Amino acid sequence: MVILIKSPDSIGLVSAISGVMARERANIITMREYVDIEEQLFFARLHIQTESSIENLKQQLEDVLPERAVITVSNAPVKKVVLLVTKEHHCLSDLLIRHHFKSMKAEVQAVIGNHEVLREVSEKFDVPFHYIATEGKTKAVFENELCRQIDAYRFDYIVLAKFMRILSADFVEKYPLKIINIHHSFLPAFIGASPYKQAYERGVKIIGATAHYVTNDLDEGPIISQQITPVNHNFTVSDMIKAGREVEKSVLATALQLVFEDRVFVYNNKTVVFD
Amino acid sequence: MVILIKSPDSIGLVSAISGVMARERANIITMREYVDIEEQLFFARLHIQTESSIENLKQQLEDVLPERAVITVSNAPVKKVVLLVTKEHHCLSDLLIRHHFKSMKAEVQAVIGNHEVLREVSEKFDVPFHYIATEGKTKAVFENELCRQIDAYRFDYIVLAKFMRILSADFVEKYPLKIINIHHSFLPAFIGASPYKQAYERGVKIIGATAHYVTNDLDEGPIISQQITPVNHNFTVSDMIKAGREVEKSVLATALQLVFEDRVFVYNNKTVVFD
Amino acid sequence: MVILIKSPDSIGLVSAISGVMARERANIITMREYVDIEEQLFFARLHIQTESSIENLKQQLEDVLPERAVITVSNAPVKKVVLLVTKEHHCLSDLLIRHHFKSMKAEVQAVIGNHEVLREVSEKFDVPFHYIATEGKTKAVFENELCRQIDAYRFDYIVLAKFMRILSADFVEKYPLKIINIHHSFLPAFIGASPYKQAYERGVKIIGATAHYVTNDLDEGPIISQQITPVNHNFTVSDMIKAGREVEKSVLATALQLVFEDRVFVYNNKTVVFD
Amino acid sequence: MVILIKSPDSIGLVSAISGVMARERANIITMREYVDIEEQLFFARLHIQTESSIENLKQQLEDVLPERAVITVSNAPVKKVVLLVTKEHHCLSDLLIRHHFKSMKAEVQAVIGNHEVLREVSEKFDVPFHYIATEGKTKAVFENELCRQIDAYRFDYIVLAKFMRILSADFVEKYPLKIINIHHSFLPAFIGASPYKQAYERGVKIIGATAHYVTNDLDEGPIISQQITPVNHNFTVSDMIKAGREVEKSVLATALQLVFEDRVFVYNNKTVVFD
């Protein structure tokens, strides 16, 4: 079982939690905690073995923890995800392979594209593909269709695997902390349409990518993971895009694995990652 | 205060420890633990704020933990170190600077060299330098003089900052887990006198360095930290040595900081590092 | 066109080469050269645009370069490869995706496995899969069948994409500098059957992987590329294997791209890589 | 000798250059070139051995290269630098050590600080330190004094080794491509006074530093080198500052070595680095 706790901090929290575990003869395999001292917030993740029930453990933890504590106890089930894509295949392909060989703690329920080009690879792996055109529609109409198609599935997360449409605040609000995106840059980043072109023109020596939750906050939402790759003057814009794709693919897979294993907490537009 | 606990694992350890902290109204700033499940060993490091005394806390922890538990409670004092060097200055200089500006949690008590060349830089920073010649002496005689000079100081650690003499088993046994070395390679490594020449001849694309405790184990003792740097065909042996020095300097400083902050446990020829 | 030159070094080589290019009105897009001063060897790679013919350019270069110079001039065609696999899918899947989306400068002609498990994913991408059993056969008989199956295809390279059988010297000699392997370690490396288990037991803080040509040299042949990933005490053997797979996949793809783009020279059991 | 050439691109440049080298019986140890195809610009760096004179080689190259080519031929002398500092010692100390042990291809002529605190360490290494107060002066007056003090020395470069005053456009214009700065961030970057605090609040997982020439361009001038270090939720602002200092020190040393070895060309607010 995996237990996640987010609580106002106070003296004795760890003692209270581990007291419950001891009483229930739970074997703590890993326990990680973090206190944001300024914010007075306590976070913990426990991976335990026990014969106790989820309900019982949850009840006992509620009895000893502060009222405002948020407690989840689960068998850490394989997550269900819906992938949104446009034309670029690199992130999608990587996730489909991991799905197919069960090397990622999630099952891909469906792929939804605003172009048709990634239907073939999705269906190769027996994953349903849905095409939702954008042409001749308002954003609201498009997003309405998108929501209906997403909501036709049971899912834990919506992954934007190089989905190149900006989602409205309304859409984002419907799925709080359920949408994960891969951003083709560090944050802060070159803003606008062609970040690699800007990176090229600026002559940077490193490019990177950022996986993050999508929120309606000022900028791009809580960062889960970031990675980089060195570049140099020999790199054309096209070489930078290629190098960037490798990083995007890698950082998205890394971030998703962390999320799917329930290792990520979000607060104040940032994350605690118990990796 | 910093509390370090190494104990046979059993259910309820975290509860017992945090129970003591709660009773003593200790504020846990950070708590990290790790269980080696195969070996049934439990490790914990706590950083706490409390008005309780060291003796009291230690006694209370002993009361609730298994008999074979090893418990240290301290105010995490600045450590005292003696540095052993030969001719290369890069690690020594870096440590002297950190010592001088108090950016490392340790004070350099003395530098001991088997050559004179690093006297000047040591004395620049008002650190005593002792020269112990090797010429015309057996290893036993040399090491005897070395021990006497080292033991003239109060110290927590002996750091081999590019000390190029192999120490005898007898010497090493006198200072268990007190000697830290920087090794010019990964482990496993090119064995013998000229590792960078071998790396060059082998055409490797990455070189690295390893900071480790010195023991009389089969090979080079528990690893604390490792770092790498990329190389390519343009690197001559001399370029590799230069690049290697930058890595050696960096990884030694990193490892020492971890050790000086009491973040490293050793068991079974390996380390648990709560970084 | 891509021109590769390996020649005994002498004064005036670059002048001679670029003189030919100037006379033929060839536009040099990139030119890279390297001289191994000790070995007196000169290497160059030119990427040019020209209306001249391959034969003409080759003839002219032969006229001005030393007799023992090895010169290849080509249109840098997409390479053909045969992949050898066992049971692990991660490298194979990655290469099949790159093949399918033409993001790698090579076409996969066939996959040959000594187990059946990777047939499905190969055939998903319309790549022929051949199973060659090892049971009840001598190594010689097995390799004979393997050669026959490989030789049924036109190919430039044989890629061992986690092929877990050691190939005999006879086999290797048949395909000089045509076999590329991904090795689950740095070189030098933990020797023997379970490198990740050894890495775990040794408590290393970094693991890596090496892509190299397979030769009958002392150890594992000229290194093309190496990459690493950090690990720590929290990693079980199984976690290290998982982390290792990500590195293996990445470094094999990187190395193959370099080879397929004719950027790698081999001599003295090492490589010159014009990346 | 080191030869640097920046020229409008045209067919036959390499041939012309290497023809001169062949005629002069110059032994080319390394030759690197790069063509920016869009901008039609050609860059080359040659490291040669020859008995010819600087003047003769320069003349001959001028005879065969386009009129607008910029050609420098030199014996790659050790560079002279003046360092500007404020209070933080980490970059200064590192450079003083390299200066003292002659492991950097430059001599530090003087250190100029707008605070007194780094006088001691400078003078330890027998480098003159000059204090120029800012209090009660306009920027123009302060910079005037600064220029006078700088100009009292012969120097090739002014290095801002954590100099925390923004220099006016007038000042920068006086020393075109002579001022090198270390910036505590990637570029693009968190703008303003407390970048590490912003990085902390944004919850980034990577921090970096950038060494660059100071110009009056839109943003921070041509980038020479960038490096990063991973961070996580456990890092306080103060931990990020510490980690950042290690990166700043390392990237500044790397960038300066490239500049001092004449490996960096600047054009269009970016660099070509022949490392």
Side-chain angles (χ1 to χ4, degrees):
Chain A
M1 278 185 203
V2 170
I3 299 171
L4 304 177
I5 296 163
K6 179 179 168 184
S7 167
D9 193 25
S10 74
I11 283 178
L13 286 186
V14 171
S15 177
I17 295 164
S18 50
V20 170
M21 297 306 126
R23 278 205 303 280
E24 293 299 310
R25 309 297 299 164
N27 187 18
I28 298 176
I29 297 168
T30 61
M31 173 164 178
R32 297 281 298 274
E33 66 277 300
Y34 170 69
V35 176
D36 184 323
I37 291 170
E38 275 178 49
E39 302 286 333
Q40 294 273 68
L41 278 171
F42 170 90
F43 301 89
R45 178 187 187 272
L46 290 88
H47 179 197
I48 61 167
Q49 287 175 324
T50 179
E51 302 195 345
S52 186
S53 73
I54 287 179
E55 293 70 28
N56 178 34
L57 276 175
K58 185 146 196 248
Q59 185 58 57
Q60 292 207 39
L61 287 167
E62 283 171 359
D63 291 349
V64 299
L65 292 176
E67 210 174 331
R68 282 183 298 135
V70 181
I71 304 163
T72 68
V73 183
S74 77
N75 282 314
V78 168
K79 302 297 185 290
K80 295 182 191 315
V81 297
V82 172
L83 307 183
L84 270 54
V85 301
T86 297
K87 287 178 173 176
E88 286 177 280
H89 81 87
H90 55 288
C91 287
L92 174 64
S93 300
D94 186 66
L95 297 178
L96 287 172
I97 289 285
R98 290 173 197 268
H99 159 80
H100 181 73
F101 285 102
K102 300 186 192 313
S103 64
M104 172 172 72
K105 207 173 165 135
E107 279 166 15
V108 179
Q109 304 297 297
V111 177
I112 304 175
N114 63 331
H115 281 84
E116 276 282 12
V117 292
L118 297 176
R119 175 184 294 281
E120 188 209 4
V121 73
S122 302
E123 295 184 346
K124 249 188 216 313
F125 289 98
D126 305 316
V127 172
F129 180 92
H130 305 283
Y131 168 55
I132 302 184
T134 53
E135 286 76 28
K137 292 176 195 163
T138 63
K139 189 178 201 102
V141 170
F142 170 74
E143 288 192 349
N144 232 3
E145 292 181 32
L146 189 58
C147 283
R148 237 175 305 140
Q149 189 59 74
I150 291 171
D151 294 343
Y153 291 94
R154 295 187 54 201
F155 66 92
D156 299 288
Y157 295 100
I158 301 165
V159 178
L160 311 186
K162 302 299 290 175
F163 180 68
M164 305 311 277
R165 305 281 297 183
I166 291 166
L167 295 166
S168 71
D170 281 354
F171 184 96
V172 171
E173 260 163 36
K174 257 181 227 153
Y175 307 104
L177 296 186
K178 297 229 167 270
I179 312 176
I180 294 165
N181 184 43
I182 175 68
H183 187 86
H184 46 209
S185 178
F186 283 112
L187 302 173
F190 294 110
I191 289 158
S194 305
Y196 289 116
K197 186 149 188 298
Q198 290 181 72
Y200 171 79
E201 281 169 1
R202 187 61 188 83
V204 299
K205 303 302 184 190
I206 286 176
I207 58 174
T210 301
H212 63 94
Y213 290 95
V214 178
T215 60
N216 283 324
D217 268 38
L218 308 171
D219 51 10
E220 269 109 347
I223 296 169
I224 306 163
S225 193
Q226 297 186 296
Q227 290 178 19
I228 62 108
T229 195
V231 296
N232 61 46
H233 62 269
N234 286 308
F235 282 65
T236 60
V237 175
S238 152
D239 291 334
M240 283 197 183
I241 290 172
K242 266 190 221 166
R245 279 180 187 149
E246 299 291 325
V247 181
E248 289 169 5
K249 186 173 92 171
S250 173
V251 75
L252 181 59
T254 300
L256 290 179
Q257 193 69 2
L258 292 166
V259 170
F260 296 158
E261 293 180 2
D262 297 313
R263 296 178 180 281
V264 184
F265 286 89
V266 178
Y267 74 112
N268 288 5
N269 204 36
K270 56 187 186 176
T271 61
V272 171
V273 179
F274 292 131
D275 56 358
Chain B
M1 277 184 205
V2 170
I3 300 171
L4 303 177
I5 297 164
K6 178 178 169 183
S7 168
D9 193 25
S10 74
I11 285 177
L13 288 186
V14 171
S15 177
I17 295 164
S18 49
V20 170
M21 297 305 126
R23 277 203 304 280
E24 293 298 311
R25 309 298 299 163
N27 187 18
I28 299 176
I29 296 167
T30 62
M31 174 165 177
R32 297 282 298 274
E33 65 278 300
Y34 170 69
V35 177
D36 184 322
I37 291 171
E38 276 178 47
E39 302 285 332
Q40 295 272 69
L41 279 172
F42 170 89
F43 302 87
R45 177 186 189 275
L46 290 89
H47 179 197
I48 62 168
Q49 288 176 323
T50 179
E51 303 196 344
S52 187
S53 73
I54 287 179
E55 294 69 28
N56 178 34
L57 276 175
K58 186 150 196 243
Q59 185 57 56
Q60 292 207 39
L61 287 167
E62 281 171 0
D63 291 349
V64 298
L65 293 175
E67 210 174 330
R68 280 182 299 134
V70 181
I71 305 162
T72 67
V73 183
S74 77
N75 282 315
V78 168
K79 304 295 185 290
K80 295 182 190 313
V81 297
V82 172
L83 308 183
L84 270 53
V85 302
T86 297
K87 286 178 175 177
E88 286 177 278
H89 81 87
H90 55 289
C91 288
L92 174 64
S93 301
D94 186 67
L95 298 178
L96 288 171
I97 289 285
R98 291 172 197 269
H99 159 81
H100 181 73
F101 285 102
K102 301 188 192 313
S103 63
M104 173 171 71
K105 207 174 164 131
E107 277 166 16
V108 179
Q109 302 298 297
V111 177
I112 305 175
N114 64 331
H115 279 84
E116 277 281 12
V117 292
L118 298 176
R119 175 184 296 279
E120 188 210 3
V121 73
S122 304
E123 295 183 346
K124 248 187 217 316
F125 290 98
D126 306 314
V127 172
F129 180 92
H130 305 282
Y131 168 54
I132 303 184
T134 53
E135 286 76 29
K137 291 176 196 164
T138 63
K139 189 178 202 105
V141 169
F142 171 73
E143 289 191 349
N144 233 1
E145 291 182 30
L146 189 57
C147 283
R148 236 174 307 141
Q149 189 60 74
I150 291 170
D151 295 342
Y153 290 94
R154 294 188 55 201
F155 67 91
D156 299 287
Y157 295 100
I158 301 164
V159 178
L160 311 186
K162 302 298 292 175
F163 180 67
M164 305 311 276
R165 306 280 298 182
I166 292 166
L167 295 166
S168 71
D170 281 355
F171 184 96
V172 171
E173 260 161 36
K174 256 180 229 157
Y175 307 104
L177 297 185
K178 298 229 166 268
I179 312 176
I180 293 166
N181 185 41
I182 175 70
H183 187 86
H184 45 210
S185 178
F186 282 114
L187 301 174
F190 296 109
I191 289 158
S194 304
Y196 288 116
K197 188 151 188 298
Q198 290 181 72
Y200 171 79
E201 283 169 0
R202 186 62 188 83
V204 299
K205 303 302 185 190
I206 287 176
I207 58 174
T210 301
H212 62 95
Y213 289 97
V214 178
T215 60
N216 283 323
D217 268 38
L218 308 171
D219 51 9
E220 268 111 348
I223 296 169
I224 305 161
S225 194
Q226 298 186 296
Q227 290 178 19
I228 62 111
T229 195
V231 296
N232 61 46
H233 62 268
N234 286 310
F235 281 65
T236 60
V237 175
S238 151
D239 291 335
M240 283 197 183
I241 289 172
K242 265 189 223 167
R245 278 180 189 150
E246 299 292 325
V247 180
E248 290 168 5
K249 185 173 93 170
S250 173
V251 73
L252 181 59
T254 301
L256 291 179
Q257 193 69 2
L258 291 167
V259 169
F260 297 158
E261 293 180 2
D262 297 313
R263 297 179 180 279
V264 185
F265 287 89
V266 178
Y267 75 112
N268 289 6
N269 203 37
K270 56 187 185 176
T271 59
V272 170
V273 179
F274 292 131
D275 56 358
Chain C
M1 279 185 204
V2 170
I3 299 171
L4 304 176
I5 296 164
K6 179 179 167 183
S7 167
D9 193 25
S10 74
I11 283 176
L13 287 186
V14 171
S15 178
I17 295 164
S18 49
V20 169
M21 298 305 126
R23 278 205 303 280
E24 293 297 312
R25 311 296 301 163
N27 186 19
I28 299 176
I29 297 167
T30 61
M31 174 165 177
R32 297 281 298 273
E33 65 279 299
Y34 169 69
V35 176
D36 183 324
I37 290 171
E38 276 178 48
E39 301 285 333
Q40 295 273 67
L41 277 171
F42 170 89
F43 302 87
R45 177 187 188 274
L46 291 88
H47 179 197
I48 62 167
Q49 288 175 324
T50 179
E51 302 196 344
S52 187
S53 74
I54 287 179
E55 294 69 28
N56 178 33
L57 275 175
K58 186 150 196 244
Q59 185 58 56
Q60 292 206 40
L61 287 167
E62 281 171 1
D63 290 349
V64 298
L65 293 175
E67 211 174 329
R68 281 183 299 135
V70 181
I71 304 162
T72 68
V73 182
S74 77
N75 282 315
V78 168
K79 301 298 185 291
K80 295 181 189 316
V81 297
V82 172
L83 308 182
L84 270 55
V85 301
T86 297
K87 285 178 174 177
E88 286 177 281
H89 82 87
H90 55 289
C91 287
L92 174 63
S93 300
D94 185 67
L95 298 178
L96 287 171
I97 289 286
R98 290 172 196 268
H99 159 81
H100 181 73
F101 285 101
K102 300 188 193 314
S103 64
M104 172 171 72
K105 206 173 166 134
E107 279 166 15
V108 179
Q109 302 297 297
V111 177
I112 304 175
N114 64 330
H115 279 84
E116 276 282 12
V117 292
L118 297 176
R119 175 184 295 279
E120 189 209 3
V121 73
S122 303
E123 295 184 346
K124 247 186 217 316
F125 289 98
D126 306 316
V127 172
F129 181 92
H130 305 283
Y131 168 54
I132 302 183
T134 52
E135 287 75 28
K137 291 176 196 165
T138 62
K139 189 178 202 104
V141 169
F142 170 72
E143 288 192 349
N144 233 2
E145 292 181 30
L146 189 57
C147 283
R148 238 176 304 142
Q149 190 58 76
I150 291 170
D151 294 343
Y153 290 93
R154 294 187 56 201
F155 66 92
D156 298 289
Y157 295 100
I158 300 166
V159 177
L160 310 186
K162 302 299 291 174
F163 180 68
M164 305 310 277
R165 307 279 298 181
I166 292 167
L167 295 166
S168 72
D170 281 355
F171 184 97
V172 171
E173 261 162 36
K174 257 181 226 152
Y175 307 104
L177 297 186
K178 298 229 166 271
I179 312 176
I180 293 165
N181 185 42
I182 175 69
H183 187 86
H184 45 211
S185 178
F186 282 114
L187 302 174
F190 295 110
I191 290 157
S194 305
Y196 289 116
K197 186 151 189 298
Q198 290 181 72
Y200 171 78
E201 282 169 0
R202 187 62 188 83
V204 299
K205 302 302 184 191
I206 287 177
I207 59 174
T210 302
H212 63 95
Y213 290 96
V214 178
T215 60
N216 284 323
D217 267 39
L218 308 170
D219 52 9
E220 268 111 347
I223 296 169
I224 305 162
S225 194
Q226 298 186 296
Q227 290 177 17
I228 61 108
T229 196
V231 295
N232 61 46
H233 63 268
N234 285 309
F235 281 65
T236 60
V237 175
S238 151
D239 292 335
M240 283 197 182
I241 289 172
K242 265 189 222 166
R245 279 182 188 147
E246 299 292 325
V247 181
E248 290 169 5
K249 186 173 93 171
S250 173
V251 73
L252 181 59
T254 301
L256 290 179
Q257 193 69 2
L258 292 166
V259 169
F260 297 158
E261 294 180 2
D262 297 313
R263 296 179 181 280
V264 184
F265 287 89
V266 177
Y267 74 112
N268 289 4
N269 203 37
K270 56 187 186 177
T271 60
V272 170
V273 179
F274 292 132
D275 56 358
Chain D
M1 278 185 202
V2 170
I3 299 171
L4 303 177
I5 296 163
K6 178 180 169 184
S7 168
D9 193 25
S10 73
I11 285 178
L13 287 186
V14 172
S15 177
I17 295 163
S18 49
V20 170
M21 297 306 126
R23 277 204 304 280
E24 293 299 312
R25 311 297 299 163
N27 187 20
I28 299 176
I29 296 167
T30 61
M31 173 165 177
R32 297 281 298 274
E33 65 279 301
Y34 169 69
V35 176
D36 184 324
I37 291 170
E38 275 178 49
E39 301 285 333
Q40 295 273 69
L41 277 173
F42 170 90
F43 301 88
R45 178 187 188 272
L46 291 89
H47 179 198
I48 62 167
Q49 288 175 323
T50 179
E51 303 196 344
S52 187
S53 74
I54 287 179
E55 294 69 27
N56 178 33
L57 275 174
K58 187 149 194 244
Q59 184 58 57
Q60 291 207 40
L61 287 167
E62 282 171 1
D63 291 349
V64 299
L65 292 175
E67 209 174 331
R68 280 183 299 135
V70 180
I71 304 163
T72 68
V73 183
S74 78
N75 283 314
V78 168
K79 302 297 185 290
K80 296 183 190 314
V81 297
V82 172
L83 307 182
L84 269 54
V85 302
T86 297
K87 285 179 176 177
E88 286 177 280
H89 82 86
H90 56 287
C91 288
L92 173 64
S93 299
D94 185 68
L95 298 178
L96 287 172
I97 289 285
R98 291 173 197 268
H99 160 80
H100 181 73
F101 286 102
K102 301 188 192 313
S103 63
M104 173 172 72
K105 207 173 164 132
E107 278 166 15
V108 179
Q109 303 299 296
V111 176
I112 304 174
N114 64 330
H115 280 85
E116 276 281 13
V117 291
L118 298 176
R119 176 185 295 279
E120 188 209 4
V121 73
S122 303
E123 294 183 346
K124 249 186 215 316
F125 290 98
D126 306 316
V127 172
F129 180 92
H130 305 282
Y131 168 55
I132 302 183
T134 53
E135 287 74 30
K137 293 177 194 162
T138 63
K139 190 178 201 103
V141 169
F142 170 72
E143 289 192 351
N144 233 2
E145 292 181 31
L146 189 56
C147 284
R148 236 175 306 141
Q149 190 60 73
I150 291 170
D151 295 342
Y153 290 94
R154 294 188 53 200
F155 66 93
D156 299 288
Y157 296 100
I158 300 165
V159 177
L160 311 185
K162 303 297 291 173
F163 180 67
M164 305 311 276
R165 305 281 296 182
I166 292 166
L167 296 166
S168 71
D170 281 355
F171 184 96
V172 171
E173 259 162 37
K174 256 182 227 154
Y175 308 103
L177 297 186
K178 298 231 167 267
I179 312 176
I180 294 166
N181 184 41
I182 175 69
H183 188 86
H184 46 209
S185 177
F186 282 113
L187 302 174
F190 295 109
I191 289 157
S194 305
Y196 289 116
K197 186 150 188 298
Q198 289 181 73
Y200 171 78
E201 282 169 2
R202 187 61 188 82
V204 299
K205 303 301 184 191
I206 287 177
I207 58 174
T210 301
H212 63 95
Y213 290 96
V214 178
T215 60
N216 283 324
D217 267 39
L218 307 171
D219 50 11
E220 268 111 347
I223 296 169
I224 305 163
S225 194
Q226 297 186 297
Q227 289 177 20
I228 62 110
T229 195
V231 296
N232 62 46
H233 62 267
N234 286 309
F235 282 64
T236 60
V237 175
S238 151
D239 292 334
M240 284 197 183
I241 289 172
K242 266 189 221 166
R245 278 179 188 150
E246 299 292 327
V247 180
E248 290 169 5
K249 185 173 94 170
S250 174
V251 74
L252 181 59
T254 301
L256 290 179
Q257 192 69 2
L258 291 166
V259 169
F260 297 157
E261 294 180 1
D262 297 312
R263 296 178 179 279
V264 184
F265 286 90
V266 177
Y267 74 112
N268 288 6
N269 203 36
K270 55 187 186 177
T271 60
V272 171
V273 179
F274 292 131
D275 56 357

